[in-house]
Amino acid sequence: EYSVWSGAGAQPAPSAKRKRAAPKKERTDVKQSKLEQMTLDVGQKVEPTQCTQCGMVYNHTVADDEQNHNKYHKRFLKASSFSGWKTERVVEEYHDGRIILVNQHDPKSHVKKMEEVREVVDIDLGITDRNQPPVPGKELQAFLYISNANKVIAAAFVEHIEKGYPCVSAHESDDTGKSPLLKSDDAPMKAVCGISRLWVFKQCRRKKIASRLMDCVRANLVFGCTISKVKIAFSDPTENGRLFAQNYCGTPNFLIYR
């Protein structure tokens, strides 16, 4: 019997019995705690996120969504930022902001801001033909709602028109089961003001801002008179726009135009 050392110079071990060393107790408490899985990956569904600054709803785990959000976010911040102008045309003031009027004959910096806002509004409303050239004879004017924090939080893009058509009631439907906006046999009715776009920033909705914009448009589009609600027409309203127009005009058969 030999010692645990082997090789040259190894000496015989004493014949006395040796006690067996007790096996070391493994410290599993520390090691195992480091290996614990705190979350179970079973393909949880990630809910969409709404950006508090630009209002866009997106999924931050989807690369395309993240890219689209970053692009829209930068455009929105640029368009909504408003430092003020020396020659502002203020048409109404409220406790939380003011409404200014911009048209295409104003200074270039004013027109540029109007176009920046329009581009953001078109994206938010899902308008796909925003890059088409303007129709000859049609001139958009913008009523911009500027908050006390110097942000554009709402806008109405309007134009002079001559006729509109009664909107079909939301309870009526065609052969496909859908509710159309127009009937093919409807006769045109006289209209004065066309609402091309009406938009309010998501975080500022349900505060009567859209109604204030509309009141301001009616009082200032035509000099010296307030346009009746029955002489206003809306251009291809969304479902939310349809509900607003119905409530504001007091009838489901408000006018629309194209």
Side-chain angles (χ1 to χ4, degrees):
E1 189 173 5
Y2 298 92
S3 70
V4 292
W5 293 101
S6 61
Q11 301 294 327
S15 59
K17 286 186 177 180
R18 294 181 302 173
K19 292 182 178 180
R20 290 185 178 180
K24 289 185 177 181
K25 187 178 180 181
E26 292 184 4
R27 298 183 62 186
T28 58
D29 53 338
V30 177
K31 292 181 180 179
Q32 288 181 354
S33 64
K34 292 181 180 179
L35 298 176
E36 284 182 2
Q37 185 172 342
M38 302 306 294
T39 51
L40 189 62
D41 183 11
V42 291
Q44 297 98 325
K45 183 179 179 181
V46 179
E47 293 296 328
T49 301
Q50 183 175 40
C51 179
T52 57
Q53 288 187 297
C54 71
M56 184 175 185
V57 178
Y58 69 102
N59 190 330
H60 64 87
T61 64
V62 179
D64 286 346
D65 266 23
E66 184 71 24
Q67 185 178 6
N68 289 335
H69 167 248
N70 290 337
K71 188 175 180 180
Y72 177 79
H73 189 91
K74 293 178 182 177
R75 178 175 284 181
F76 176 85
L77 292 184
K78 181 181 179 183
S80 63
S81 176
F82 187 80
S83 57
W85 301 320
K86 291 182 179 179
T87 56
E88 284 181 10
R89 191 185 294 109
V90 179
V91 292
E92 195 60 74
E93 292 186 271
Y94 299 96
H95 68 280
D96 57 354
R98 64 193 185 278
I99 297 177
I100 65 173
L101 173 60
V102 185
N103 63 44
Q104 295 175 347
H105 301 288
D106 286 342
K108 289 183 179 180
S109 59
H110 299 197
V111 177
K112 182 180 179 182
K113 173 59 65 176
M114 179 175 70
E115 290 302 315
E116 288 175 351
V117 174
R118 185 185 61 80
E119 288 177 3
V120 167
V121 170
D122 284 0
I123 294 173
D124 203 12
L125 296 180
I127 299 176
T128 57
D129 59 349
R130 56 183 179 272
N131 294 323
Q132 289 187 356
V135 178
K138 285 193 174 184
E139 182 178 304
L140 286 181
Q141 300 184 60
F143 288 79
L144 305 180
Y145 201 113
I146 313 298
S147 71
N148 290 335
N150 286 327
K151 300 290 183 183
V152 180
I153 60 172
F157 290 85
V158 305
E159 58 189 333
H160 291 277
I161 60 173
E162 296 180 353
K163 61 183 178 181
Y165 298 84
C167 180
V168 175
S169 171
H171 300 292
E172 300 181 42
S173 59
D174 57 16
D175 296 337
T176 64
K178 295 181 180 180
S179 177
L181 290 174
L182 289 175
K183 287 182 178 178
S184 58
D185 57 349
D186 277 338
M189 300 180 66
K190 183 175 176 55
V192 176
C193 172
I195 308 297
S196 174
R197 297 159 176 83
L198 181 62
W199 168 86
V200 179
F201 179 49
K202 290 182 176 67
Q203 272 78 336
C204 298
R205 292 174 185 173
R206 300 190 180 279
K207 296 181 180 180
K208 301 295 183 182
I209 290 178
S211 296
R212 293 180 199 169
L213 270 175
M214 290 298 302
D215 289 344
C216 195
V217 168
R218 293 171 50 224
N220 292 277
L221 184 63
V222 178
F223 181 76
C225 74
T226 298
I227 302 171
S228 170
K229 292 181 180 180
V230 299
K231 299 285 183 67
I232 291 177
F234 297 81
S235 175
D236 292 328
T238 62
E239 188 59 34
N240 287 336
R242 184 174 187 160
L243 292 174
F244 169 79
Q246 177 176 322
N247 291 331
Y248 183 79
C249 296
T251 173
N253 304 119
F254 59 88
L255 299 183
I256 63 175
Y257 79 104
R258 288 174 179 166

